[in-house]
Amino acid sequence: MKPKRASSRITIVDVAKKAGTSLGTVSRVINNDVHVADDTRQRVLLVMNELGYVANRQARSLKGSKTNVVGVLVPDLGTGYIGEIMRGIDAELALNQMDLMLFTTHRAASKEASYVANLVEGVVDGLLLVLPRNPADYTSSLAERNFPFVLIDHQGGGKTEHAVGATNWQGAYKATEYLINLGHRRIGFITGSMDLSCAVDRLEGYRSALRTHHLPESPELIYDGAFFQPDGYNGASTLLDLPNPPTAIFASNDVMAMGAMDAIRNRGLHIPSDVSIIGFDNIPQSALVYPPMTTVMQPLEQMGRVATQMLCTILKDPDKTVGRIELPTELIVRQSTSPNKNRVG
Amino acid sequence: MKPKRASSRITIVDVAKKAGTSLGTVSRVINNDVHVADDTRQRVLLVMNELGYVANRQARSLKGSKTNVVGVLVPDLGTGYIGEIMRGIDAELALNQMDLMLFTTHRAASKEASYVANLVEGVVDGLLLVLPRNPADYTSSLAERNFPFVLIDHQGGGKTEHAVGATNWQGAYKATEYLINLGHRRIGFITGSMDLSCAVDRLEGYRSALRTHHLPESPELIYDGAFFQPDGYNGASTLLDLPNPPTAIFASNDVMAMGAMDAIRNRGLHIPSDVSIIGFDNIPQSALVYPPMTTVMQPLEQMGRVATQMLCTILKDPDKTVGRIELPTELIVRQSTSPNKNRVG
DNA sequence: CTGTTAGCGCATTCAG
DNA sequence: CTGAATGCGCTAACAG
């Protein structure tokens, strides 16, 4: 009824009027155009402050077709894993004065994937896809419309897509090798969701290390997990029930490793003297469990940063191709691993 | 050079042209206006689909001043704590077909707080403030311009503000009482940042329980923390160095409790037989540490949901006042607490 | 250096 | 029921 929108946004025109100039000049001041006399600029700036002027982004982007916000598509929140990546994204975005719109894929899953592409177009300038389950669904439609996007922690379909990942294979290789050097000969492995390439790479790294060191690859030592904590628990339980159980277990992520630790303790076994355990990711909690967990660090925050940088680069120059970047993983040795006491010889 | 924006957004005009009607009619169809002949509507709908038309939100909100996106202001990401809340927000927003724009306060901190209010106005319809450090900075300016917002996990300044919180006082009271019933008489307490009302409430709950049970409140048993893990470590160390150390420690959040557990173990003491420990929050990891931690559950996800519902309510009817809602906390007994073995009598 | 003008895509009057 | 016309707040291209 009553004109409730009392605050009645003040516009560029209000400023111009009060500053005794034209709206064009004000616009220039806002956009740091050089072609403005210094005193004029000062005057306008002053008035802007007085009036508490703030640009209307809708109108601005209506013109330039640039919104200065990038969309981030994540599978879920609440896991420290995504949080770390987000932190990197956010930091880098801040540097570029851009904002961040969050979408969760489970939300989008209900509609066709292409819908997402449509949805975000016009709202965001570019898209960061974090760990999409079936990236092809998105990427194809995105690539088709030539929409800028960067994949995080996922291989594109071999196309010339922009992506940042980590050296999962190497990390798993090193971790396995570390266990071998500790004298372990039977090393259990708990996989992640094999529809994720990072999970595949980790398994491959494990296998390669075994092969390189002339150790047999026993299928019974590989348990199929899906990155969830109970998988770790069940995996370790299954592995320890083996007639010839492993003396060390390598889980494809920290969360499963924690589950495995639980299972081990529940059988009255001691970590690491009875069973060594290694995780993957180096989420913050991995240092806080008992005993502190040996794990493979993934530079999550940095991955977020780099991906964001890549996106910004593309945004500035759409013809530039940044390709795929792999950030190094690193073995973090803590106290959940020790030499194999049963080692014969 | 070449018209790269190949995908060239198709507008309402394109649809109108192809459907052999005027843009006004198309607009009506889009907005479910009743005054459209059924066959006309069908024809337009068909063309919209064919052309893959998608509304330009910028333009739309430029007019109607509704964006259907709500802003969420969080202090930081990466902590499971915020993640849980976010999950609730996201779920509820999805139900209301709204989107979510994320802002981190540390980013905004550099500018005046009021800047934030200005910044988001026009971009988002409403604001969810999660655990703001100094909410007054925001709320006053927000309230002034009559901008819809809901506070999460923070008391407003006694104004008629919309907020959702948890029963921190009760939770702390119950936890302390639980320890007392276990026979503990000297109970250490590690506080959170006392500029946060939840931290104050928890301390008060602890104190009240002590008082109710006629136990002395020894100032030396209270250690000043700030919700970070090292605070827990240092706090427990300090408390255990006391001439007459506590037999139980209550930390104001789980993360500090984990730090405390570390400190206890480092002195060769056993949990819970030597020292019982209780945390607060029930973050996912609290069940994963060893031993699994007794803690006070805060319904974080639900807090996010409820706050979002409140905001949506206000958005629909600005005159409605929803007030403040307190969600119940709950003591989760796990294995980091046990009867006081030293209990005399 | 500065003022003027023409749209951006859409919702909304106002006439038919 | 439908078409035409007006402007939201701003940028960009043009004239001064």
Side-chain angles (χ1 to χ4, degrees):
Chain A
M1 304 298 150
K2 51 189 171 185
K4 186 137 202 173
R5 73 273 206 52
S7 89
S8 56
R9 298 181 67 58
I10 61 116
T11 80
I12 199 172
V13 184
D14 301 319
V15 177
K17 210 173 297 174
K18 180 145 187 194
T21 168
S22 82
L23 86 176
T25 305
V26 176
S27 176
R28 281 181 203 107
V29 172
I30 294 171
N31 296 287
N32 280 317
D33 190 314
V34 258
H35 305 293
V36 179
D38 248 15
D39 55 334
T40 308
R41 179 188 305 281
Q42 294 312 325
R43 188 155 34 90
V44 172
L45 247 24
L46 198 69
V47 175
M48 275 175 44
N49 240 335
E50 266 175 32
L51 262 41
Y53 168 79
V54 45
N56 178 327
R57 301 168 90 131
Q58 323 298 326
R60 180 179 294 192
S61 50
L62 187 51
K63 228 354 191 188
S65 77
K66 272 196 46 182
T67 63
N68 277 323
V69 6
V70 330
V72 181
L73 218 63
V74 301
D76 187 19
L77 302 159
T79 111
Y81 179 83
I82 303 286
E84 290 293 306
I85 296 178
M86 289 292 297
R87 179 190 302 235
I89 294 174
D90 181 59
E92 199 63 32
L93 244 27
L95 255 39
N96 288 277
Q97 316 229 51
M98 306 188 81
D99 285 314
L100 155 38
M101 199 143 173
L102 232 199
F103 303 91
T104 45
T105 47
H106 64 253
R107 257 171 83 161
S110 50
K111 340 244 172 185
E112 319 122 71
S114 73
Y115 174 79
V116 175
N118 291 324
L119 176 70
V120 299
E121 201 164 337
V123 181
V124 301
D125 293 341
L127 222 37
L128 253 21
L129 306 181
V130 180
L131 244 192
R133 277 287 155 174
N134 30 12
D137 289 0
Y138 301 101
T139 57
S140 60
S141 123
L142 247 26
E144 210 169 79
R145 30 200 339 125
N146 203 27
F147 193 82
F149 69 98
V150 174
L151 255 27
I152 299 183
D153 205 1
H154 207 298
Q155 327 261 26
K159 301 251 183 185
T160 61
E161 284 161 354
H162 309 294
V164 16
T167 56
N168 286 293
W169 187 93
Q170 286 86 338
Y173 185 95
K174 276 197 189 164
T176 309
E177 190 166 55
Y178 176 73
L179 289 172
I180 295 173
N181 289 337
L182 244 29
H184 295 282
R185 289 299 169 262
R186 285 184 67 75
I187 300 171
F189 187 86
I190 304 176
T191 76
S193 305
M194 295 303 277
D195 54 340
L196 258 27
S197 60
C198 60
V200 175
D201 291 349
R202 289 174 199 179
L203 176 58
E204 283 314 312
Y206 158 80
R207 280 194 168 134
S208 282
L210 251 35
R211 241 175 280 133
T212 303
H213 290 267
H214 310 296
L215 255 33
E217 299 175 45
S218 322
E220 81 268 19
L221 285 180
I222 298 177
Y223 180 89
D224 257 22
F227 283 136
F228 297 113
Q229 208 241 349
D231 301 328
Y233 190 96
N234 298 333
S237 301
T238 304
L239 292 171
L240 294 174
D241 276 341
L242 252 30
N244 185 8
T247 59
I249 295 178
F250 178 11
S252 289
N253 73 351
D254 287 345
V255 177
M256 292 197 299
M258 289 180 197
M261 285 170 78
D262 260 0
I264 295 169
R265 267 194 298 260
N266 272 0
R267 320 194 141 223
L269 294 176
H270 187 259
I271 303 168
S273 61
D274 292 318
V275 184
S276 285
I277 190 129
I278 287 190
F280 207 114
D281 283 353
N282 191 36
I283 57 176
Q285 303 92 281
S286 64
L288 304 181
V289 296
Y290 186 77
M293 189 193 296
T294 296
T295 188
V296 180
M297 181 212 72
Q298 236 192 135
L300 296 172
E301 176 168 358
Q302 204 196 341
M303 284 163 64
R305 298 192 88 101
V306 171
T308 308
Q309 285 166 2
M310 284 171 62
L311 185 58
C312 289
T313 304
I314 308 175
L315 253 26
K316 273 173 205 139
D317 179 1
D319 295 321
K320 199 164 267 176
T321 296
V322 283
R324 175 174 178 81
I325 295 182
E326 298 259 340
L327 263 24
T329 52
E330 186 186 335
L331 182 67
I332 309 277
V333 175
R334 287 197 275 250
Q335 295 156 42
S336 65
T337 43
S338 69
N340 178 9
K341 62 176 181 182
N342 305 314
R343 178 71 192 291
V344 272
Chain B
M1 301 302 150
K2 50 188 171 187
K4 182 133 205 175
R5 72 277 202 55
S7 89
S8 55
R9 297 182 67 58
I10 60 119
T11 82
I12 198 172
V13 184
D14 301 319
V15 176
K17 209 173 298 173
K18 181 144 188 193
T21 168
S22 82
L23 86 177
T25 304
V26 177
S27 177
R28 282 181 202 107
V29 173
I30 294 171
N31 295 288
N32 280 318
D33 191 315
V34 257
H35 304 294
V36 179
D38 246 15
D39 55 334
T40 310
R41 181 189 304 282
Q42 293 313 323
R43 190 154 32 93
V44 172
L45 248 24
L46 198 69
V47 175
M48 274 175 43
N49 240 335
E50 266 175 31
L51 261 41
Y53 168 79
V54 45
N56 179 328
R57 301 168 88 133
Q58 323 299 325
R60 178 176 296 193
S61 52
L62 186 51
K63 255 312 204 210
S65 77
K66 270 197 49 184
T67 63
N68 278 322
V69 6
V70 332
V72 180
L73 221 61
V74 301
D76 188 19
L77 302 160
T79 111
Y81 179 82
I82 303 284
E84 290 294 306
I85 296 179
M86 289 292 298
R87 178 190 304 235
I89 294 175
D90 180 59
E92 200 62 32
L93 244 25
L95 254 41
N96 288 277
Q97 316 229 49
M98 306 190 80
D99 285 312
L100 156 38
M101 199 143 172
L102 232 200
F103 303 90
T104 45
T105 48
H106 65 253
R107 261 172 79 161
S110 51
K111 338 240 170 186
E112 319 121 72
S114 72
Y115 172 80
V116 175
N118 291 324
L119 176 70
V120 299
E121 200 164 338
V123 182
V124 301
D125 293 341
L127 223 37
L128 253 21
L129 305 181
V130 180
L131 245 195
R133 277 288 154 174
N134 30 13
D137 290 1
Y138 302 102
T139 56
S140 59
S141 121
L142 247 26
E144 210 169 80
R145 30 198 342 125
N146 203 28
F147 192 83
F149 68 100
V150 174
L151 255 26
I152 299 183
D153 204 1
H154 206 299
Q155 328 262 25
K159 301 254 186 183
T160 61
E161 284 161 353
H162 309 293
V164 16
T167 57
N168 287 292
W169 187 93
Q170 287 85 335
Y173 184 94
K174 276 198 189 162
T176 309
E177 191 166 55
Y178 176 73
L179 289 173
I180 295 173
N181 290 337
L182 244 28
H184 294 281
R185 288 300 169 264
R186 286 184 66 74
I187 300 171
F189 187 86
I190 303 175
T191 77
S193 304
M194 296 302 278
D195 55 340
L196 258 28
S197 61
C198 60
V200 175
D201 292 348
R202 289 173 199 179
L203 176 59
E204 283 314 314
Y206 158 80
R207 280 196 169 131
S208 281
L210 252 33
R211 242 177 279 132
T212 302
H213 291 267
H214 310 296
L215 257 30
E217 298 174 45
S218 321
E220 80 267 20
L221 284 180
I222 298 177
Y223 180 89
D224 257 22
F227 282 136
F228 298 113
Q229 206 241 350
D231 300 327
Y233 189 96
N234 297 332
S237 301
T238 304
L239 292 171
L240 294 174
D241 277 341
L242 250 31
N244 186 6
T247 59
I249 295 178
F250 179 11
S252 288
N253 72 351
D254 287 345
V255 177
M256 291 197 299
M258 288 180 198
M261 286 170 77
D262 258 0
I264 295 169
R265 267 194 298 261
N266 271 1
R267 323 194 139 222
L269 295 175
H270 187 258
I271 303 167
S273 61
D274 293 318
V275 184
S276 285
I277 189 129
I278 287 190
F280 206 112
D281 282 353
N282 190 35
I283 56 177
Q285 303 91 283
S286 64
L288 304 182
V289 295
Y290 186 77
M293 190 192 295
T294 296
T295 188
V296 180
M297 183 212 69
Q298 239 192 131
L300 297 173
E301 176 169 358
Q302 204 196 341
M303 285 164 64
R305 297 194 88 101
V306 172
T308 308
Q309 285 166 3
M310 285 171 65
L311 185 58
C312 289
T313 303
I314 308 174
L315 252 25
K316 272 173 205 140
D317 180 0
D319 295 321
K320 198 161 266 176
T321 297
V322 283
R324 176 176 177 80
I325 295 182
E326 298 259 340
L327 264 23
T329 51
E330 187 187 333
L331 182 65
I332 309 277
V333 176
R334 287 197 275 252
Q335 297 156 40
S336 66
T337 44
S338 70
N340 178 9
K341 63 177 181 182
N342 305 311
R343 178 73 191 290
V344 273

